[in-house]
Amino acid sequence: MEDVAARRAAEQLLAEHKANVRFKPLGPPDGPATISDAYDIQDKYVALLRSEHGDAVGYKVGLTSVPMQVFCRIDHPIAGVVLARRVYRSGATIRRSDFGRLGLEFEIAVRIKSDVPITGLPWTTEMIAPHIDGVCAAIELVDDRGADYGNLDVHSLVADNSWNGGIVLSEFATKWPDLKGVLGRAAKDGVATGEGHGRDILGHPFNSVAWLATQLGSRGAGLIAGQVVMTGSVMKTVFPEQDADYRFELEEIGFVELRVREAQ
């Protein structure tokens, strides 16, 4: 995609977020026609966000479970960038008013141990595993700005940094059970709201990291030691409509908690 067009589209996205405009597809002449165009715009948009939200410290991978792909009517994963000042620790309070529409996704996050080489070849779970040294329970903060899921444009979604608005992390565990069978349970104000297993994330959370490494490599980028990867949600997105406390627990790994308020 032409650099000027990608920059104009990115500036449009930034303006729409500041004005709290409902999400809509990016149309011609600057809208993305291909998934590659979408990532070109995302790159420019993230660059605009960095002055306020800090440098890139990791990535989110979205639409990695069947429920989420069905929900969004999309049949492949997508990626977005996580910025430093959008990373929160367990117990954080988040204001709904800071988002067009706040969604919560309950995930398994991993920490990258060592730089992942750019090989130009597809990565596999077995290949990526030695590059991971931590796993934790996490909640992604997504901002879909009230999108119409019945008429969703995946290219525009990706351009909009795949809707990442931040992440909430528990402490990382350096030893973990077989993630394929790990059960994650979410609760709102102490009442169960949903659950899922590690296998619901592309069969295994490390498959998500391998997909990301391959995707980044195709664009000449790579995962770096210390970065965090949100591997995807084990259940359908939750949209808080009032003040509430949320908890997500991964068996034998840990739990993460989040307070959602209209205003702090």
Side-chain angles (χ1 to χ4, degrees):
M1 186 175 190
E2 291 187 7
D3 193 65
V4 173
R7 187 179 298 112
R8 282 197 300 258
E11 290 170 348
Q12 178 182 333
L13 283 170
L14 187 66
E16 288 178 353
H17 275 272
K18 288 184 175 179
N20 198 19
V21 173
R22 186 180 185 185
F23 177 85
K24 62 181 185 297
L26 290 165
D30 300 325
T34 66
I35 196 70
S36 179
D37 289 347
Y39 284 110
D40 289 344
I41 295 170
Q42 183 189 111
D43 289 346
K44 300 295 185 185
Y45 176 52
V46 169
L48 293 175
L49 293 175
R50 283 178 175 156
S51 61
E52 180 178 355
H53 299 291
D55 292 333
V57 293
Y59 297 88
K60 61 81 59 86
V61 181
L63 308 185
T64 55
S65 67
V66 172
M68 286 305 302
Q69 290 184 359
V70 170
F71 185 45
C72 294
R73 302 186 182 190
I74 294 169
D75 64 358
H76 59 82
I78 59 174
V81 180
V82 176
L83 299 174
R85 288 192 282 276
R86 286 178 163 180
V87 178
Y88 303 90
R89 306 307 305 178
S90 179
T93 299
I94 300 298
R95 298 187 303 179
R96 285 193 298 125
S97 56
D98 288 339
F99 298 79
R101 184 171 73 152
L102 173 64
L104 307 179
E105 297 189 350
F106 302 92
E107 311 201 10
I108 297 174
V110 306
R111 183 177 59 203
I112 301 300
K113 175 183 179 180
S114 52
D115 293 358
V116 176
I118 303 170
T119 65
L121 300 173
W123 284 82
T124 66
T125 295
E126 293 73 23
M127 292 164 61
I128 207 69
H131 293 280
I132 296 171
D133 70 354
V135 172
C136 78
I139 299 173
E140 183 184 3
L141 311 174
V142 298
D143 189 356
D144 72 356
R145 291 189 286 141
D148 176 7
Y149 285 81
N151 186 33
L152 194 60
D153 171 27
V154 65
H155 296 156
S156 295
L157 191 167
V158 169
D160 197 6
N161 198 28
S162 294
W163 289 348
N164 179 256
I167 62 176
V168 187
L169 303 174
S170 67
E171 294 297 322
F172 280 95
T174 56
K175 295 182 180 180
W176 53 86
D178 176 14
L179 294 180
K180 191 173 183 178
V182 163
L183 175 63
R185 293 192 179 96
K188 171 186 173 184
D189 292 331
V191 178
T193 57
E195 63 181 40
H197 294 84
R199 60 177 172 266
D200 295 319
I201 303 171
L202 293 181
H204 191 291
F206 288 3
N207 284 335
S208 180
V209 187
W211 175 87
L212 177 64
T214 303
Q215 165 62 24
L216 291 174
S218 73
R219 296 181 61 80
L223 290 166
I224 299 171
Q227 289 184 327
V228 174
V229 177
M230 299 286 285
T231 64
S233 181
V234 301
M235 53 180 276
K236 190 176 176 180
T237 308
V238 169
F239 296 98
E241 296 181 349
Q242 62 276 319
D243 293 357
D245 295 344
Y246 291 86
R247 176 184 171 105
F248 179 58
E249 181 173 0
L250 288 176
E251 287 188 337
E252 301 182 60
I253 294 176
F255 65 87
V256 60
E257 294 180 319
L258 169 67
R259 293 160 51 91
V260 175
R261 300 291 184 266
E262 180 57 32
Q264 288 178 309

